[in-house]
Amino acid sequence: MAAKPNLIPLLTPHKMGNFNLSHRYPETPGIWTREQVEAWKPIVDAVHDKGGVFFCQIWHVGRVSSYSYQPNGEAPISSTDKGVTPGLDGGDWSPPRRLRVDEIPHIVNDFRLAARNAIEAGFDGVEIHGANGYLIDQFMKDQVNDRTDEYGGSLEKRCRFALEVVKAVVNEIGADRVGMRLSPFADYMETGDSDPDALGLYMANALDNYGLVYLHAIEPRMVRIGDKLETPHSLFPMRKAFKGTFIAAGGYTRDDGNKAIEDGYADLIAYGRLFLANPDLPRRFELNAPLNKYDRNTFYIPDPVVGYTDYPFLEVPA
């Protein structure tokens, strides 16, 4: 069976499509200034000219940062004052500062403004990044969030910040232009949860109530970046709870991606690493052709060519 109709070329956090609301490291694209909005317009136009649909992933890294990338050398912000272990994943992580309750609406508003800017730049919608151990994830996961106020403690309170962001963005640009990425089972950047099944199901039901256009969830087997573990957990309860388009991601091949669609496990399968290394991935899947091997060392470098546009297309005899 040809896989082409089932693929979605999500450029998840590698080269394009994700825009930071905070400072984490150099060369990270942003969407908070007028100059940035104008700079993205010709890029978005080029994607549309090729018939593409382009969503802007908006995120805030929270504690996954250091003093050197913060305004005036201040501490990164988070749900907690517990930091990421220095040296983890090669980062020089600085201890964060716990956000005060009165500061949280300002962060929510940053997401709203970023969404508005994305639409002004011409994007078809935004994906709220609530995964991978970044700020929203830091609020939702009980192994990080140690607050005792209205943003911590119970599952509902820990998810409050995430859903305030969703509400603000939906009210600004409309639910039909908003998706969200979640990784309830992952422990990226020491951001795990004691009951990921309950967290995932709660968020899936809540997002369904807002009528989001899609939910993009990372497979439970992807506990850590680069690993693909055996697990009894499944995204299927989340898929059943969310009535919009459900996108599954995480270590998929051509064959198990097709099977997931055939079994009704997901509506779409996201390929990130394989798509970076294979610009004609749908064609290769359709022909069951060999794939280029990706080079993880080039995923996050700022070079506009190396690791981005230098992978070869498939040569098919005429």
Side-chain angles (χ1 to χ4, degrees):
M1 177 182 176
K4 189 174 180 180
N6 302 332
L7 305 182
I8 180 168
L10 283 182
L11 299 175
T12 53
H14 297 312
K15 288 291 187 181
M16 241 180 108
N18 60 332
F19 300 90
N20 200 353
L21 277 68
S22 59
H23 296 276
R24 176 187 173 186
Y25 38 59
E27 309 295 344
T28 304
I31 194 92
W32 63 83
T33 69
R34 173 58 43 196
E35 182 181 14
Q36 290 166 339
V37 171
E38 294 301 320
W40 281 109
K41 287 181 179 180
I43 297 172
V44 175
D45 289 343
V47 172
H48 286 156
D49 289 344
K50 293 288 187 178
V53 176
F54 207 1
F55 270 59
C56 173
Q57 186 188 72
I58 54 176
W59 54 312
H60 192 303
V61 300
R63 69 177 187 165
V64 186
S65 188
S66 68
Y67 299 142
S68 59
Y69 300 131
Q70 299 301 313
N72 303 315
E74 298 171 0
I77 60 172
S78 182
S79 63
T80 180
D81 54 13
K82 297 183 299 183
V84 179
T85 299
L88 182 68
D89 285 355
D92 181 23
W93 316 121
S94 301
R97 176 179 68 81
R98 186 192 310 268
L99 276 168
R100 302 189 311 270
V101 170
D102 66 291
E103 293 177 300
I104 293 176
H106 298 290
I107 307 300
V108 172
N109 193 55
D110 286 342
F111 277 91
R112 180 189 67 81
L113 292 173
R116 185 178 71 186
N117 287 345
I119 298 304
E120 185 176 344
F123 286 95
D124 299 292
V126 301
E127 176 178 285
I128 300 169
H129 195 347
N132 296 85
Y134 298 127
L135 184 61
I136 291 177
D137 214 19
Q138 292 160 29
F139 270 86
M140 291 190 292
K141 302 285 186 65
D142 61 9
Q143 291 181 18
V144 177
N145 188 336
D146 55 0
R147 304 176 74 97
T148 58
D149 56 25
E150 56 265 49
Y151 289 93
S154 68
L155 175 61
E156 293 79 9
K157 288 182 178 180
R158 285 185 281 113
C159 292
R160 177 176 176 174
F161 171 64
L163 296 177
E164 286 180 351
V165 169
V166 169
K167 182 179 179 180
V169 172
V170 165
N171 286 345
E172 182 67 31
I173 66 173
D176 60 334
R177 292 173 176 256
V178 181
M180 190 168 192
R181 175 176 167 96
L182 296 175
S183 59
F185 299 92
D187 189 22
Y188 301 142
M189 304 310 295
E190 300 177 327
T191 306
D193 193 79
S194 63
D195 192 350
D197 291 290
L199 173 59
L201 187 58
Y202 178 82
M203 284 298 296
N205 279 307
L207 297 178
D208 187 65
N209 290 335
Y210 280 103
L212 264 60
V213 68
Y214 72 80
L215 171 55
H216 174 197
I218 299 175
E219 282 289 346
R221 63 193 178 195
M222 307 302 288
V223 176
R224 290 177 295 275
I225 292 177
D227 293 339
K228 190 175 178 180
L229 308 177
E230 293 294 328
T231 176
H233 299 287
S234 169
L235 294 177
F236 197 60
M238 294 175 66
R239 195 270 195 275
K240 290 195 295 184
F242 185 76
K243 304 304 187 296
T245 297
F246 190 82
I247 305 172
Y252 274 97
T253 63
R254 172 189 185 274
D255 293 339
D256 62 4
N258 270 340
K259 189 176 188 304
I261 300 298
E262 292 167 0
D263 293 347
Y265 183 78
D267 298 301
L268 295 167
I269 300 299
Y271 294 88
R273 291 166 289 177
L274 294 186
F275 234 118
L276 268 180
N278 297 273
D280 51 357
L281 187 66
R283 177 66 170 159
R284 290 176 186 258
F285 275 7
E286 187 176 27
L287 298 174
N288 201 16
L291 303 180
N292 298 323
K293 293 183 179 180
Y294 59 80
D295 181 2
R296 180 176 288 279
N297 293 325
T298 66
F299 281 179
Y300 301 98
I301 64 175
D303 192 290
V305 174
V306 176
Y308 184 26
T309 61
D310 59 341
Y311 287 104
F313 283 79
L314 183 67
E315 294 184 6
V316 181

